[in-house]
């Protein structure tokens, strides 16, 4: 309806910015259910109403872009590099390239070692996000000891019950681990991943998810994560509005600067993907 109102107001061009693409998980039909492919239907509705271009943030399945025809270009923003910069400031403090410039320490002192980091995919479909996060963090920190791991979940079904077992593929023992996911709703998958990584000997466990769908007051996921002993804290973006107060272990990262820059570049027909290129920051100098 908003698109219709804008079109009826004789807008010259219409770019739709969608921080959280509703129904993005419903991108296919299962074999035993009669259901719509809602992600495709939303794309078709937007296109029929005359949208010129679309900017989306971290689609659950990047192939959702294919539901739009070639005449409606879709820019897919991945805020992983922004989150990587946040964790870089948190975990690599005092480990810059030139510690004498950063901390003012005596040149005879030994520089601190970079922390041992492992980026953990919350499940099999998150491996490409974990690899992208790792690449961004490596470029920012210059560290060569950033690894990728994976949490795989298998389900055993017998006559009486159904049992899920989580297995870690990769090295997490004695390392600071950042678990990567895209959407948190009930939080059951991410909770299992956090517990599995913690039990496997990780020194510290953090989590990053783009979309924290906690707006429903009946959703007790935030309280559940607050009570998790193995979780240091979780970082989510503000792609979904949450009117409730979140517990201390859940931090919010604003993606407003990312979206505003994307809109400006779209209006001036400039490259949007290039703004996500990550370069190692220059060493900071203290003023005397």
């Amino acid at each position: 309806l908003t698109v219709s109102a804008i079109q009826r107001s004789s807008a010259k061009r219409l770019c739709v910015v969608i921080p959280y693409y509703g129904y993005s998980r419903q991108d296919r039909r299962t074999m035993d259910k009669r259901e719509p492919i809602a992600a495709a239907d939303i794309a078709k509705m937007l296109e029929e109403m005359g949208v010129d271009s679309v900017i989306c943030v971290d689609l659950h399945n990047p192939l959702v872009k294919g539901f739009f025809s070639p005449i409606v270009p879709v820019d897919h923003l991945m805020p992983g590099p922004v989150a990587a910069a946040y964790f870089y400031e948190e975990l690599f403090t005092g480990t810059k390239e030139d510690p004498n410039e950063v901390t003012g320490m005596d040149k005879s002192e030994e520089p601190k070692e970079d922390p041992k980091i492992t980026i953990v995919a919350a499940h099999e479909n998150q491996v490409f996000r974990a690899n992208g996060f790792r690449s961004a963090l490596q470029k920012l920190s210059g560290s060569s000891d950033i690894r990728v791991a994976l949490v795989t979940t298998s389900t055993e079904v017998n006559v009486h019950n159904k049992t899920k077992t989580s297995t870690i593929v990769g090295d997490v023992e004695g390392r600071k681990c950042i678990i990567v996911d895209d959407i948190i709703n009930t939080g059951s998958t991410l909770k299992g991943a956090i517990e599995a990584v913690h039990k496997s000997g990780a020194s510290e466990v953090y989590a990053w998810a783009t979309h924290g769908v906690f707006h429903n007051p009946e959703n007790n996921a935030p309280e559940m994560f607050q009570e998790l002993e193995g979780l240091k804290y979780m970082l989510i973006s503000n792609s979904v509005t949450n009117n409730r107060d979140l517990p201390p272990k859940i931090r919010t990262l604003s993606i407003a600067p990312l979206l505003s820059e994307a809109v400006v570049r779209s209006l001036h027909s400039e490259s949007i993907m290039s703004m996500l290129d990550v370069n190692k920051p220059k060493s900071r100098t203290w003023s005397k």
Side-chain angles (χ1 to χ4, degrees):
L1 294 178
T2 302
V3 171
S4 175
I6 294 174
Q7 289 285 38
R8 294 175 190 275
S9 299
S10 303
K12 181 179 180 180
R13 182 181 176 188
L14 182 54
C15 173
V16 176
V17 180
I18 308 176
Y20 177 63
Y21 192 102
Y23 302 101
S24 63
R25 286 177 168 176
Q26 202 169 353
D27 56 1
R28 73 196 73 184
R29 287 188 62 182
T30 55
M31 294 292 292
D32 57 342
K33 293 183 180 180
R34 296 175 179 176
E35 58 187 8
I37 304 177
D41 296 335
I42 295 295
K44 188 174 181 63
M45 284 192 289
L46 290 172
E47 196 169 317
E48 286 293 326
M49 292 308 300
V51 168
D52 294 302
S53 61
V54 176
I55 298 176
C56 296
V57 178
D58 201 353
L59 294 168
H60 180 65
N61 184 351
L63 297 180
V64 169
K65 295 186 295 182
F67 292 146
F68 293 86
S69 68
I71 62 173
V72 179
V74 179
D75 290 299
H76 185 202
L77 299 180
M78 297 295 289
V82 182
Y86 182 95
F87 281 102
Y88 167 72
E89 293 293 336
E90 288 280 312
L91 303 180
F92 286 84
T93 301
T95 60
K96 307 293 189 299
E97 183 178 6
D98 189 350
N100 294 307
E101 292 183 351
V102 176
T103 64
M105 67 169 61
D106 186 77
K107 294 184 178 181
S108 61
E109 296 183 30
E110 292 293 331
K112 295 181 181 179
E113 292 184 359
D114 288 340
K116 298 178 180 179
I117 306 292
T118 296
I119 311 302
V120 183
H123 50 85
E124 291 85 349
N125 293 335
Q126 301 300 326
V127 173
F128 80 95
R129 286 186 177 87
N131 281 325
F133 194 99
R134 176 203 183 195
S135 177
L137 193 57
Q138 277 185 325
K139 290 179 180 179
L140 286 168
S141 65
S143 174
S144 59
D145 193 13
I146 300 179
R147 305 178 185 178
V148 173
L150 164 68
V151 179
T152 62
T153 303
S154 59
T155 304
E156 297 179 2
V157 181
N158 55 39
V159 178
H160 303 288
N161 55 22
K162 182 186 296 185
T163 306
K164 288 187 176 181
T165 305
S166 297
T167 304
I168 306 294
V169 180
D171 185 15
V172 300
E173 185 175 359
R175 303 176 68 86
K176 295 182 179 182
C177 296
I178 305 172
I179 303 176
V180 176
D181 206 345
D182 64 328
I183 303 174
I184 308 175
N185 194 348
T186 63
S188 58
T189 301
L190 188 57
K191 177 187 176 184
I194 293 170
E195 292 176 338
V197 172
H198 179 61
K199 290 179 181 178
S200 297
S203 61
E204 295 177 2
V205 181
Y206 304 86
W208 152 249
T210 303
H211 310 293
V213 190
F214 301 140
H215 61 282
N216 190 342
E218 298 178 357
N219 188 345
N220 65 346
E223 290 72 24
M224 176 186 69
F225 287 118
Q226 179 64 28
E227 296 173 359
L228 277 180
E229 182 180 353
L231 178 65
K232 193 83 171 178
Y233 66 79
M234 173 191 300
L235 184 66
I236 62 173
S237 79
N238 60 343
S239 62
V240 180
T241 301
N242 290 304
N243 295 321
R244 60 193 292 186
D245 293 329
L246 297 176
K249 278 191 177 181
I250 299 182
R251 304 182 183 183
T252 303
L253 177 68
S254 176
I255 57 173
L258 178 70
L259 291 176
S260 61
E261 178 67 17
V263 170
V264 170
R265 293 190 178 212
S266 175
L267 293 177
H268 291 85
S269 300
E270 298 176 357
S271 173
I272 292 180
M273 292 299 101
S274 62
M275 74 180 187
L276 294 175
D277 293 339
V278 177
N279 295 313
K280 186 175 180 181
K282 297 180 180 179
S283 299
R284 293 176 294 182
T285 57
W286 289 83
S287 58
K288 298 181 180 180

